[in-house]
């Protein structure tokens, strides 16, 4: 419980600081910290393989893609901070998020959750996970593979520079 | 308070931080990062219910999170490619100025 509270506090602090800062690089790096905190939560819950997948995909790959996008879309060579947007927009965003949060909190604290607290952390080994992926969920695995291939090809096509055609 | 409720409160707080960031900033990269954070918060719920649910040995929560991470990675790649394409056409990535699809 204590460990969970510490992980939650650090993760939420990193995520909120990321959206309050004005420097995009700092925001991206703080979000990497938040993703690492989520991976720590997976480790705490006993889902080791998912934690390693989170570290590989988010802390490793997505963060690099985000940093590349930040550097490629910079205005000029300056490290000018992003200006804050209109106050109205920020206030409306916070009101909406607060309303959604209030609804969720009320629903969570008000529902009678039947919890099996006594049992130890469930252990699903990597071998069992692999058998599950290759056996009953093989179709989903293949579909995800095709989806990733198509999405990455599409990303390359969208982001590629279209060269001017040579005059005949 | 039970640990399951603590996990759910954690994930809903994270979801709200992502939602507030995606709604109140107008930098496209920050909006995309807010959406990624919301996806991660949803994944936390799967793990929490797998951990404290009645049949953890089935591992369905784990598998769903693995597939969700794969789909989120694809989404991030395509989203950032779109941001780079918009920046090339308009020289800005503010959302308010990208208001027509005709390049």
């Amino acid at each position: 419980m204590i460990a969970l509270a510490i992980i939650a506090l650090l993760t939420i602090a990193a995520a909120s600081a990321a959206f309050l800062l004005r420097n995009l690089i700092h925001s991206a790096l703080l979000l990497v910290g938040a993703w690492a905190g989520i991976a720590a939560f997976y480790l705490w819950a006993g889902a080791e393989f998912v934690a390693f997948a989170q570290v590989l995909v988010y802390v490793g790959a997505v963060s690099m893609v985000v940093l590349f996008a930040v550097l490629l879309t910079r205005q000029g060579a300056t490290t000018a901070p992003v200006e804050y947007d209109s106050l109205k927009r920020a206030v409306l965003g916070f009101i909406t998020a607060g309303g959604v949060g209030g609804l969720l909190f009320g629903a969570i604290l008000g529902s009678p959750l039947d919890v099996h607290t006594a049992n130890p952390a469930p252990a699903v080994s990597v071998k069992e996970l692999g058998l599950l992926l290759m056996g009953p969920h093989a179709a989903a695995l293949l579909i995800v593979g095709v989806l990733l291939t198509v999405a990455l090809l599409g990303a390359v096509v969208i982001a590629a520079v279209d060269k001017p055609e040579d005059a005949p | 308070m039970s640990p399951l409720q603590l996990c759910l409160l954690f994930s809903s707080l994270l979801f709200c931080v992502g939602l507030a960031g995606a709604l109140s900033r107008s930098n496209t990269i920050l909006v995309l990062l807010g959406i990624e954070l919301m996806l991660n918060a949803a994944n936390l719920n799967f793990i929490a219910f797998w951990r404290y649910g009645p049949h953890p040995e089935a591992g369905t929560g784990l598998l769903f999170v693995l597939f969700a991470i794969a789909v989120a990675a694809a989404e991030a790649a395509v989203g950032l490619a779109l941001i780079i394409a918009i920046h090339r056409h308009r020289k800005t990535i503010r959302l308010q100025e990208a208001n027509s699809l005709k390049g």
Side-chain angles (χ1 to χ4, degrees):
Chain A
M1 286 290 277
I2 306 281
L4 173 61
I6 292 171
I7 290 171
L9 272 181
L10 285 179
T11 308
I12 288 169
S16 10
F19 287 108
L20 290 176
L21 285 183
R22 298 180 65 190
N23 190 319
L24 265 181
I25 304 250
H26 292 174
S27 295
L29 290 178
L30 273 169
L31 267 171
V32 171
W35 286 328
I38 291 171
F41 170 81
Y42 292 157
L43 272 183
W44 174 85
E48 286 90 4
F49 187 73
V50 178
F52 295 139
Q54 169 93 8
V55 169
L56 276 179
V57 172
Y58 277 101
V59 183
V62 174
S63 66
M64 282 304 115
V65 176
V66 168
L67 285 176
F68 268 111
V70 170
L71 294 179
L72 284 177
T73 58
R74 256 198 324 202
Q75 319 279 343
T78 59
T79 52
V82 203
E83 76 278 19
Y84 278 121
D85 310 311
S86 70
L87 190 66
K88 185 184 158 206
R89 188 183 164 96
V91 168
L92 283 179
F94 276 106
I95 288 175
T96 312
V100 172
L103 275 177
L104 285 174
F105 271 47
I108 290 167
L109 294 176
S111 17
L113 292 167
D114 181 23
V115 183
H116 307 255
T117 37
N119 58 5
V124 177
S125 67
V126 178
K127 186 184 173 193
E128 287 165 346
L129 211 56
L131 286 175
L132 279 172
L133 272 177
M134 282 300 168
H137 300 280
L141 192 69
L142 287 177
I143 291 171
V144 164
V146 172
L147 177 82
L148 270 174
T149 313
V150 172
L152 293 182
L153 283 179
V156 169
V157 169
I158 289 171
V161 183
D162 30 346
K163 288 195 179 132
E165 303 271 331
D166 291 333
Chain B
M1 194 191 298
S2 64
L4 175 57
Q5 274 181 331
L6 202 61
C7 293
L8 295 182
L9 289 180
F10 171 34
S11 84
S12 48
L13 254 178
L14 212 57
F15 184 89
C16 289
V17 170
L19 186 63
L23 286 179
S24 59
R25 301 302 295 265
S26 70
N27 188 301
T28 320
I29 293 177
L30 280 174
V31 172
L32 192 71
L33 287 175
I35 293 170
E36 287 286 330
L37 203 63
M38 288 195 270
L39 267 166
N40 267 299
N43 285 349
L44 288 187
N45 268 7
F46 281 120
I47 293 291
F49 281 113
W50 164 78
R51 170 75 174 77
Y52 293 108
H55 295 295
E57 69 280 355
T60 41
L62 295 179
L63 292 170
F64 211 120
V65 171
L66 283 178
F67 290 131
I69 286 177
V71 173
E75 178 240 326
V78 174
L80 291 165
L82 280 172
I83 289 172
I84 289 172
I86 287 175
H87 178 260
R88 186 177 312 123
H89 282 297
R90 298 182 177 274
K91 303 293 169 218
T92 178
I93 52 168
R94 290 192 75 217
L95 276 179
Q96 282 90 345
E97 285 152 35
N99 50 9
S100 77
L101 283 176
K102 198 173 168 190

